[in-house]
């Protein structure tokens, strides 16, 4: 546990030395602010963040891979993986630490958008229940994308490839599972629909906390973290 | 301390290590020598439990690298090739981080980092980002990092590669100072390195041990005879004729060098022919300005043995 936290802490602090991280931060805040102005902060709109949350789930498709792309691939490229993997720590600790470090940075990034909630509160009386569940859901979506990104970054030492591979895998869970159900027989389309991230997130933005949504995100995170551990193990045998 | 038996490693279809045996006794400094791609780094990576062997066994401090890899990692301080460090971290942070991964608590880390700061001369750079350090300083940080958990065995992969001559001397001194209390296995393709730091040399080529022994011992095994080069003032033919008459001389090569004759004389059976040559020169009343005695270097032996092995394999 302490090893996992040590890796996560190092990962988190190294983000603040990376120009890409600052770019991501700027881009994310700018887009969130823009969508906030366009969809939430307008006369006649209800005082809720739901419309913004809808768009943020889409923004995460770019933001999270940009954070996760360097997690393991940078260690592979620079060779520090050798010092790391010859320390008395396990592959599981490495992967968990990397994922957690990335997620911590993402949560910090997300926390900055609380300023938008503050602005909303200045002009109206928002219902904080759905705001809370909406953010909880975003953390789960971010956690899932971060797990996918961690897996992708074990596969290559090239950050760009890790970035694109992560986006590709996320698109399978968002765009493809959105259009695919229309082409499938009904009994299959329900299953494909279940895999859609946006669909699973929808309840959170409405203020609902459903166990089945939790199961979806937690098992998705677990699946990709296990894949990442396996991929890291298999690197040695090549 | 280190035992490697019948080690085999394939990368896909490529054979990197071919039934390699290696033994390092406690307290020894042993150098692995070999041309690039001979399998040095692969052997080291297997020893440090970074990758598993295809076949054979390796153990460090009595712990097998496959079944007891955690104990192996605790017994070894490892400096990988080209010293990978995190450029954005400060030296102190990097050392604390790896101290934490090795399970040292804060007090232990502070104590060890204090000791190593002194031993490796890091006082001036502790607070600097690693990305701004010179290669020599990075190497010292890498060495300090390898020794954080005070392991009995140090494994150093090309510890002086890419350093300038002053830095090489410094790092070498540091290694020798450490050698008093530790077992050290280091790899290199630089020959003076092993002659100066190692008690035993293992030469590997194409994944196999082709020779091993003390550096001196290996030098004596060189079959090429010693040569004496003399520079005398006399016609080439006369010099050649005079030297060839001497019984223990095997071969004479002579060239004209602006009135002087430069003769390279090879002796039979490694006999020291300097005195005999000097007598011959005096006898002929030649002027004489230089005599050099060339013994075979480890370098020659290395070239001889690795190229012989290449021919064998081809």
């Amino acid at each position: 546990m302490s090893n996992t936290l040590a890796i996560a802490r190092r990962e988190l602090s190294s983000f603040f030395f990376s120009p890409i991280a600052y770019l991501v931060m700027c881009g994310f805040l700018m887009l969130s602010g823009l969508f906030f102005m366009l969809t939430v902060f307008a006369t006649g709109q209800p005082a809720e963040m739901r419309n913004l949350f809808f768009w943020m789930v889409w923004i995460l498709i770019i933001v999270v891979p940009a954070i996760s792309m360097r997690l393991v691939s940078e260690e592979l490229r620079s060779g520090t993986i050798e010092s790391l993997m010859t320390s008395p720590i396990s592959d599981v600790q490495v992967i968990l630490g990397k994922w957690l470090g990335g997620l911590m940075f993402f949560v910090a990034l997300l926390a900055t958008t609380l300023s938008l909630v503050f602005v909303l509160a200045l002009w109206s009386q928002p219902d904080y229940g759905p705001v809370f569940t909406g953010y909880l859901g975003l953390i789960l979506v971010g956690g899932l994308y971060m797990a996918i990104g961690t897996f992708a970054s074990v596969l290559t030492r090239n950050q760009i490839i890790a970035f694109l591979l992560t986006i590709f895998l996320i698109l399978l869970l968002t765009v493809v599972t959105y259009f695919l159900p229309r082409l499938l027989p009904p009994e299959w389309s329900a299953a494909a629909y279940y895999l859609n991230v946006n669909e699973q997130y929808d309840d959170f933005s409405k203020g609902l906390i459903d166990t089945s949504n939790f199961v979806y995100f937690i098992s998705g995170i677990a699946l990709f973290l296990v894949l990442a551990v396996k991929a890291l193990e298999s690197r040695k045998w090549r | 301390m280190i035992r490697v038996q019948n080690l085999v490693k394939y990368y896909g279809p490529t054979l990197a290590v071919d039934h390699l045996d290696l033994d390092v006794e406690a307290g020894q400094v042993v150098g692995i020598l070999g041309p690039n791609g001979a399998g040095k780094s692969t052997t080291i990576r297997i020893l440090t439990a970074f990758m598993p062997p295809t076949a054979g066994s390796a153990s460090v401090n009595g712990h097998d690298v496959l079944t007891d890899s955690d104990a192996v990692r605790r017994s070894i301080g490892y400096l990988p090739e080209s010293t990978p460090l995190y450029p954005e971290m400060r030296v102190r942070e990097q050392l604390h981080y790896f101290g934490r991964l090795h399970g040292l608590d804060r007090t232990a880390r502070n104590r060890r980092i204090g000791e190593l700061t002194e031993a490796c001369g890091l006082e001036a750079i502790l607070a600097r980002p690693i990305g701004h350090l010179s290669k020599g300083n990075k190497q010292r940080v890498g060495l300090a990092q390898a020794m954080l958990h005070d392991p009995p065995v140090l494994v150093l992969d090309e510890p002086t590669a890419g350093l300038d001559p002053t830095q090489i001397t410094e790092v070498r001194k540091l290694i020798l100072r450490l050698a008093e209390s530790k077992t050290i296995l280091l790899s290199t393709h630089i020959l003076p390195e092993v002659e100066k730091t190692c008690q035993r040399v293992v030469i590997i080529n194409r994944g196999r041990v082709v020779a091993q022994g003390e550096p001196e011992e290996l030098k004596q095994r060189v079959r090429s005879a010693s040569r004496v080069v003399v520079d005398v003032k006399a016609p080439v033919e006369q010099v050649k004729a005079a030297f060839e008459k001497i019984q223990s001389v095997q071969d004479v090569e002579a060239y004209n060098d602006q009135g002087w004759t430069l003769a390279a004389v090879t002796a039979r059976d490694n006999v020291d022919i300097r005195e005999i040559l000097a007598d011959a020169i005096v006898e002929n009343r030649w002027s004489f300005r230089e005599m050099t005695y060339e013994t075979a270097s480890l370098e020659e032996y290395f070239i001889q043995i690795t190229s012989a092995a290449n021919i064998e394999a081809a």
Side-chain angles (χ1 to χ4, degrees):
Chain A
M1 191 61 200
S2 87
N3 285 339
T4 307
L5 286 180
I7 294 168
R9 264 177 60 181
R10 199 211 73 80
E11 212 52 53
L12 180 62
S13 65
S14 78
F15 278 117
F16 292 96
F17 291 94
S18 147
I20 291 173
Y22 285 99
L23 273 178
V24 168
M25 223 188 264
C26 286
F28 180 64
L29 279 177
M30 233 168 66
L31 283 176
S32 315
L34 186 70
F35 282 109
F36 179 74
M37 289 304 290
L38 289 177
T39 65
V40 176
F41 200 62
T43 330
Q45 287 284 342
E48 56 173 34
M49 299 281 279
R50 197 174 157 195
N51 285 336
L52 176 61
F53 287 149
F54 172 82
W55 286 109
M56 273 163 106
V57 176
W58 287 104
I59 300 172
L60 293 194
I61 296 182
I62 306 269
V63 167
V64 176
I67 297 173
S68 68
M69 63 185 188
R70 58 183 293 281
L71 285 173
V72 182
S73 47
E74 177 61 17
E75 303 242 9
L76 295 173
R77 189 196 59 77
S78 72
T80 44
I81 189 80
E82 237 177 292
S83 311
L84 189 65
M85 301 304 289
T86 51
S87 302
I89 54 174
S90 67
D91 297 358
V92 176
Q93 289 170 333
V94 172
I95 293 300
L96 268 183
K98 291 279 175 188
W99 173 76
L100 197 61
L103 191 61
M104 276 152 66
F105 181 78
F106 170 71
V107 170
L109 186 61
L110 204 55
T112 57
T113 63
L114 288 174
S115 60
L116 300 175
V117 181
F118 179 70
V119 171
L120 197 62
L122 277 185
W123 298 89
S124 58
Q125 285 85 40
D127 182 357
Y128 290 107
V131 174
F132 171 76
T133 56
Y135 272 105
L136 179 69
L138 280 180
I139 293 175
L140 286 173
V141 174
L144 174 62
Y145 291 179
M146 195 66 70
I148 296 173
T150 310
F151 166 62
S153 81
V154 178
L155 298 179
T156 169
R157 58 175 59 201
N158 185 322
Q159 294 193 21
I160 306 293
I161 294 176
F163 177 71
L164 294 175
L165 181 60
T166 310
I167 290 184
F168 173 75
L169 289 173
I170 293 175
L171 287 180
L172 287 182
L173 290 177
T174 52
V175 176
V176 173
T177 50
Y178 179 75
F179 288 109
L180 197 61
R182 302 172 187 199
L183 309 171
L184 292 173
E187 60 269 31
W188 286 97
S189 79
Y193 217 47
Y194 178 77
L195 289 176
N196 187 277
V197 172
N198 306 72
E199 193 59 27
Q200 294 286 344
Y201 177 73
D202 199 44
D203 280 350
F204 285 101
S205 72
K206 284 182 200 156
L208 288 173
I209 297 183
D210 191 329
T211 325
S212 85
N213 302 137
F214 260 103
V215 170
Y216 171 81
F217 284 110
I218 300 298
S219 52
I221 290 170
L223 170 70
F224 280 101
L225 289 182
V226 167
L227 285 178
V229 171
K230 292 296 162 199
L232 187 63
E233 279 171 4
S234 80
R235 286 199 81 89
K236 301 177 194 169
W237 296 92
R238 270 182 268 158
Chain B
M1 210 55 169
I2 299 176
R3 279 184 81 84
V4 175
Q5 279 172 324
N6 251 326
L7 198 70
V8 179
K9 176 75 188 179
Y10 277 96
Y11 291 114
T14 321
L15 181 61
V17 176
D18 183 9
H19 296 91
L20 188 127
D21 294 294
L22 183 70
D23 261 300
V24 180
E25 301 296 321
Q28 270 189 335
V29 181
V30 173
I32 306 184
L33 197 64
N36 290 330
K40 300 183 299 256
S41 288
T42 305
T43 309
I44 281 177
R45 284 177 175 164
I46 292 169
L47 267 178
T48 52
F50 181 64
M51 50 166 72
T54 309
S57 71
S59 71
V60 178
N61 210 359
H63 308 290
D64 188 87
V65 291
L66 271 183
T67 57
D68 205 359
S69 84
D70 235 37
V72 170
R73 297 174 200 201
R74 283 176 210 283
S75 311
I76 288 185
Y78 175 37
L79 179 67
E81 193 177 353
S82 73
T83 323
L85 302 164
Y86 297 105
E88 76 276 7
M89 288 178 107
R90 290 171 197 282
V91 173
R92 189 186 278 114
E93 291 168 349
Q94 167 104 17
L95 294 178
H96 268 286
Y97 175 55
F98 275 94
R100 225 175 271 139
L101 294 186
H102 275 284
L104 305 178
D105 60 23
R106 184 175 290 276
T107 358
R109 289 202 304 271
N110 281 331
R111 185 177 50 79
R112 277 305 282 166
I113 291 173
E115 288 167 8
L116 290 167
T117 301
E118 200 170 323
C120 304
L122 303 176
E123 292 88 354
I125 56 168
L126 262 188
R128 286 176 50 193
I130 289 168
H132 295 180
L133 297 181
S134 69
K135 266 206 115 174
N137 277 336
K138 279 186 192 158
Q139 212 69 13
R140 291 198 238 182
V141 175
L143 276 170
Q145 180 186 311
M147 287 185 300
L148 271 172
H149 52 295
D150 203 11
V153 180
L154 275 184
V155 176
L156 315 172
D157 198 355
E158 310 226 346
T160 56
L163 301 182
D164 70 32
T166 332
Q167 293 168 334
I168 289 181
T169 320
E170 275 174 29
V171 170
R172 188 186 294 143
K173 269 188 201 152
L174 189 55
I175 293 173
L176 283 176
R177 213 178 314 140
L178 301 172
E180 287 166 14
S181 54
K182 305 217 180 288
T183 308
I184 300 182
L185 180 71
L186 62 87
S187 84
T188 181
H189 59 265
I190 308 165
L191 287 142
E193 189 66 47
V194 280
E195 288 194 81
K196 283 180 183 136
T197 38
C198 303
Q199 293 145 7
R200 209 155 63 81
V201 184
V202 178
I203 300 180
I204 66 176
N205 192 35
R206 293 177 172 243
R208 281 197 149 141
V209 173
V210 286
Q212 56 181 316
E214 290 166 24
E216 284 307 313
E217 192 187 322
L218 288 185
K219 276 199 225 171
Q220 279 165 14
R221 274 199 233 162
V222 184
R223 262 161 291 146
S224 77
S226 56
R227 286 203 318 177
V228 179
V229 179
V230 289
D231 201 359
V232 293
K233 197 164 197 171
V236 174
E237 304 78 44
Q238 281 186 31
V239 175
K240 221 174 161 187
F243 285 165
E244 271 169 354
K245 267 193 282 180
I246 303 171
Q247 210 181 18
S248 45
V249 167
Q250 187 176 33
D251 182 46
V252 180
E253 285 174 62
Y255 314 92
N256 188 0
D257 177 22
Q258 294 168 357
W260 292 77
T261 294
L262 201 58
V265 188
T266 312
R268 224 180 280 281
D269 309 324
N270 264 346
V271 182
D272 187 352
I273 50 170
R274 281 174 294 181
E275 201 181 342
I276 309 169
L277 287 182
D279 286 345
I281 293 163
V282 171
E283 212 170 279
N284 288 294
R285 303 182 139 270
W286 292 328
S287 299
F288 155 71
R289 62 178 181 186
E290 194 178 349
M291 178 185 281
T292 325
Y293 186 50
E294 292 180 344
T295 45
S297 65
L298 198 50
E299 199 135 358
E300 278 173 55
Y301 183 56
F302 178 68
I303 291 165
Q304 204 177 61
I305 199 147
T306 51
S307 55
N310 281 336
I311 292 160
E312 230 171 76

